[in-house]
Amino acid sequence: MDVHETINDILVNLFNEIWKLEEDAIITEEFKDITNNDMHIIEAIGLSGKNTMSAVAKKMGITAGSLTTAVNGLVNKKYAVRLRSSQDRRVVFVQLTEKGIRAYEHHREYHRQMTEAVINKLDENEIPVLVKTLNGLSDFFRGYKGESDS
C-alpha cells in the first residue's frame, strides 16, 4: 500500500471507529433515550442559553427543519426547552434543561478523555505536528463544504 492509500485507510477507519465508540461510550443507561446525533445537537446547543434555533442549525450544518425535528425530540424527552425572544417573537432560543446539561457534561467528559489519551501518547515536540496535521485536515473539510475562514 502506498502512503496515500495508507493515510486514506487510517482516516476512514478512524472516523468510523470514533463514531461507533463514541456512541457506545456516551449512550449510557441514563441517556439511552437519545442517539449519538442527539448528543451532538445537545453539544451544539451548549450551555450559554443564548443560542437561537437558526444559530444551532448553522453550527450543525443542517437545515432549520431538520433541527426542528431533532429539537422536538429533545424537548419531548426533557433535554431542552424552547424560549421565544421577548424583543422579537420570531426568534426562538433553545436551552438545555438540567437533564440536557448532564448529557452535555457527560459528552464533554468523553471528549476530554479521548483528547487526553492522544496527548498522553505524544512528547511535547510531537503535539504541534499533530495540531498542524489536524488543522490541515479541518481546513480541507471546511473547504470541501465551501466554507471560508472568515
Side-chain angles (χ1 to χ4, degrees):
M1 218 185 295
D2 76 3
V3 69
H4 290 90
E5 290 173 340
T6 301
I7 291 172
N8 180 67
D9 188 56
I10 291 168
L11 289 174
V12 168
N13 288 318
L14 186 61
F15 290 133
N16 290 332
E17 288 173 20
I18 287 172
W19 187 259
K20 178 64 178 132
L21 289 172
E22 181 179 50
E23 183 174 37
D24 292 345
I26 64 176
I27 305 304
T28 61
E29 186 63 28
E30 182 178 7
F31 307 116
K32 66 184 177 193
D33 59 340
I34 59 174
T35 65
N36 203 14
N37 192 55
D38 289 334
M39 196 65 91
H40 286 102
I41 291 170
I42 287 169
E43 178 183 38
I45 293 169
L47 300 178
S48 75
K50 298 177 182 173
N51 276 317
T52 62
M53 289 286 287
S54 56
V56 174
K58 184 176 180 180
K59 187 186 293 188
M60 294 289 301
I62 61 176
T63 66
S66 293
L67 180 65
T68 296
T69 301
V71 169
N72 284 346
L74 292 174
V75 167
N76 290 337
K77 295 171 189 170
K78 311 253 186 278
Y79 285 89
V81 293
R82 285 188 187 89
L83 303 166
R84 290 217 177 263
S85 167
S86 57
Q87 285 83 28
D88 185 345
R89 301 286 295 156
R90 296 170 296 178
V91 176
V92 179
F93 294 98
V94 61
Q95 290 182 339
L96 298 178
T97 62
E98 289 284 328
K99 185 177 182 182
I101 292 168
R102 283 195 313 275
Y104 176 93
E105 296 291 347
H106 176 66
H107 188 225
R108 185 170 69 178
E109 176 60 16
Y110 171 78
H111 280 265
R112 188 198 64 73
Q113 290 174 9
M114 181 177 61
T115 304
E116 273 302 307
V118 171
I119 290 171
N120 288 339
K121 296 270 185 194
L122 303 173
D123 67 45
E124 66 181 54
N125 296 327
E126 294 171 315
I127 293 171
V129 175
L130 178 61
V131 170
K132 181 178 178 181
T133 303
L134 293 175
N135 274 327
L137 191 57
S138 182
D139 289 346
F140 167 78
F141 286 130
R142 285 190 184 109
Y144 199 79
K145 277 179 36 177
E147 294 180 6
S148 62
D149 291 340
S150 304

